[in-house]
């Protein structure tokens, strides 16, 4: 998994723009998650639910206000399924590229967050993608001209 400014999946590949950051803000900005899932050979042609959830560093789901005034979790749900292409050697893992683009989110300056990936009912600490939001105060983070 990789944080980026934008991402696209096409023809089995990920096209990443501005990839590899772990610090954003302090103002809302769009972002993307480039994800490459390797499905074991013996699990081909099976459908798996996939979920990405934005959590605080304490594991609390992040919510955003909807028009009704209630908070809805920042979450992306989907499914993956991959078939075995002809001629692929038995036992070869099957790659599934996923591109998830997220609109600007108002996140708390100075806070840490992470995206958590869940496939089926399984999750793993390695399936976390942490990032920080710059502090809003002067000197609260690096800018593009600070290097």
């Amino acid at each position: 998994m990789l944080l980026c400014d934008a991402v696209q999946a096409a023809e089995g590949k990920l096209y990443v723009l501005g990839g590899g950051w772990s610090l954003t803000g302090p103002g809302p900005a769009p972002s993307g998650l480039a994800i490459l899932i390797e499905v074991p050979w013996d699990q081909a042609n099976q459908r798996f639910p996939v979920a990405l959830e934005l959590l605080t560093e304490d594991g609390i789901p992040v919510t955003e206000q909807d028009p009704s005034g209630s908070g809805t979790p920042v979450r992306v749900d989907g499914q993956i399924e991959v078939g075995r292409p002809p001629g692929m050697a038995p036992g070869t893992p099957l790659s599934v590229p996923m591109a998830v683009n997220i609109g600007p989110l108002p996140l708390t300056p100075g806070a840490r967050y992470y995206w958590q990936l869940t496939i089926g009912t399984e999750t793993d600490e390695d399936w976390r993608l942490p990032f920080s939001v710059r502090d809003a105060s002067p000197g609260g983070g690096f800018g593009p001209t600070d290097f």
Side-chain angles (χ1 to χ4, degrees):
M1 295 189 347
L2 181 73
L3 282 167
C4 54
D5 294 338
V7 61
Q8 181 181 19
E11 299 181 21
K13 301 176 188 176
L14 288 166
Y15 295 88
V16 177
L17 178 65
W21 56 262
S22 61
L23 185 63
T24 189
S31 61
L33 291 98
I35 304 167
L36 187 63
I37 298 172
E38 288 195 351
V39 176
W41 174 264
D42 64 340
Q43 293 181 18
N45 301 313
Q46 296 180 43
R47 188 168 292 162
F48 295 96
V50 176
L52 274 169
E53 187 173 22
L54 183 60
L55 304 168
T56 66
E57 67 181 331
D58 297 324
I60 299 167
V62 174
T63 59
E64 63 179 331
Q65 296 296 327
D66 60 27
S68 70
S70 65
T72 56
V74 178
R75 182 181 169 101
V76 178
D77 291 292
Q79 294 184 351
I80 60 169
E81 182 176 359
V82 63
R84 294 182 191 138
M88 182 173 268
T92 304
L94 306 160
S95 295
V96 179
M98 285 181 49
V100 180
N101 290 291
I102 307 292
L105 294 171
L107 300 173
T108 304
R112 286 192 47 80
Y113 297 91
Y114 65 92
W115 286 99
Q116 179 68 61
L117 175 66
T118 303
I119 302 173
T121 58
E122 295 184 39
T123 191
D124 191 282
E125 195 165 313
D126 289 337
W127 300 355
R128 289 183 179 179
L129 195 52
F131 66 97
S132 298
V133 179
R134 286 182 185 90
D135 192 340
S137 63
F142 295 109
T145 59
D146 290 337
F147 294 99

